Amino acid sequence: MAISTADFKNGMCIEYNNKLWTIAEFQHVKPGKGGAFVRTKLRDIKTGRVVDYTFNSGTKFDSVRLETKKMQYLYNDGADFNFMDPVTFEQMPISTETVGDQAKWLKENDEVSLLYAGEELISIEPQMFVELEVTETEPGFKGDTVQGSTKPATLETGATIQVPMFVNIGDVLQVDTRDGRFIKRM
């Protein structure tokens, strides 16, 4: 379906330069002299990179319908990550390349969202907050109470994040998967 710059909305997905982009923000500009134009910030769906583009007013684009599907992560067999549809119990292997960096937030039996553009799987989005156990970190010592000091900790999925000094091996932490930030100890 073709849309013009007048139809832009934040979060809308368009095809431009043979890539899929979501509109992060846009602004219609009508200068005193010359034609109107639209300034946009577009996020590449595959890489997550944000790019500024300017389009003439009325430029046409192909709109892409995005669909999300909830799946349960089962296991990694070394080559593929295996997911299951909780409704039909159908299992689906997904390559390691497609999962990419999101693999560090996947824990067995967690629910994830698969993002599709038509029939093509674009990305995998884990839950916004996950609870993971600390498998390796340096011990905190009494007296290490400097406000805001942190240390690295390795989690059960292999991800390394910065945590406060009071966190120890075996603690279960809540982590924000969008930026890898420690939220709280469970």
Side-chain angles (χ1 to χ4, degrees):
M1 179 174 97
I3 60 165
S4 75
T5 55
D7 302 321
F8 277 4
K9 291 181 177 59
N10 288 340
M12 182 180 278
C13 185
I14 61 171
E15 186 174 345
Y16 177 66
N17 285 347
N18 296 323
K19 287 186 176 181
L20 297 178
W21 304 85
T22 54
I23 299 171
E25 68 183 67
F26 68 97
Q27 177 184 18
H28 290 279
V29 179
K30 175 71 173 105
K33 197 176 200 179
F37 59 91
V38 178
R39 281 191 195 114
T40 62
K41 287 186 187 280
L42 301 179
R43 177 175 284 115
D44 187 336
I45 287 185
K46 294 219 184 227
T47 64
R49 187 175 63 123
V50 177
V51 180
D52 293 329
Y53 281 114
T54 302
F55 302 108
N56 290 329
S57 187
T59 304
K60 301 277 187 201
F61 298 93
D62 285 333
S63 174
V64 179
R65 183 169 176 197
L66 295 179
E67 294 183 20
T68 58
K69 187 174 185 181
K70 297 283 187 193
M71 300 285 270
Q72 182 181 11
Y73 170 60
L74 296 177
Y75 61 92
N76 178 1
D77 62 11
D80 294 325
F81 286 82
N82 293 280
F83 296 87
M84 180 182 70
D85 186 327
V87 176
T88 64
F89 302 109
E90 178 183 338
Q91 292 190 19
M92 180 172 71
I94 298 177
S95 70
T96 305
E97 295 83 38
T98 305
V99 175
D101 285 344
Q102 300 302 335
K104 64 184 176 186
W105 307 122
L106 295 179
K107 184 175 151 186
E108 291 182 0
N109 299 321
D110 276 356
E111 188 176 89
V112 298
S113 296
L114 304 183
L115 187 63
Y116 287 92
E119 296 294 316
E120 181 186 359
L121 175 63
I122 293 175
S123 69
I124 295 171
E125 298 174 6
Q127 295 174 0
M128 192 177 301
F129 300 104
V130 293
E131 295 177 6
L132 300 170
E133 184 179 339
V134 176
T135 57
E136 186 179 319
T137 189
E138 295 175 12
F141 297 105
K142 199 168 194 151
D144 280 345
T145 56
V146 176
Q147 189 70 24
S149 62
T150 60
K151 61 182 179 179
T154 304
L155 305 175
E156 64 184 292
T157 58
T160 302
I161 64 168
Q162 292 295 318
V163 297
M165 298 302 280
F166 61 80
V167 173
N168 295 310
I169 295 173
D171 287 350
V172 176
L173 309 179
Q174 187 178 52
V175 180
D176 187 336
T177 60
R178 295 170 296 182
D179 55 9
R181 221 169 13 102
F182 164 83
I183 301 298
K184 64 181 179 180
R185 182 167 58 176
M186 301 308 287

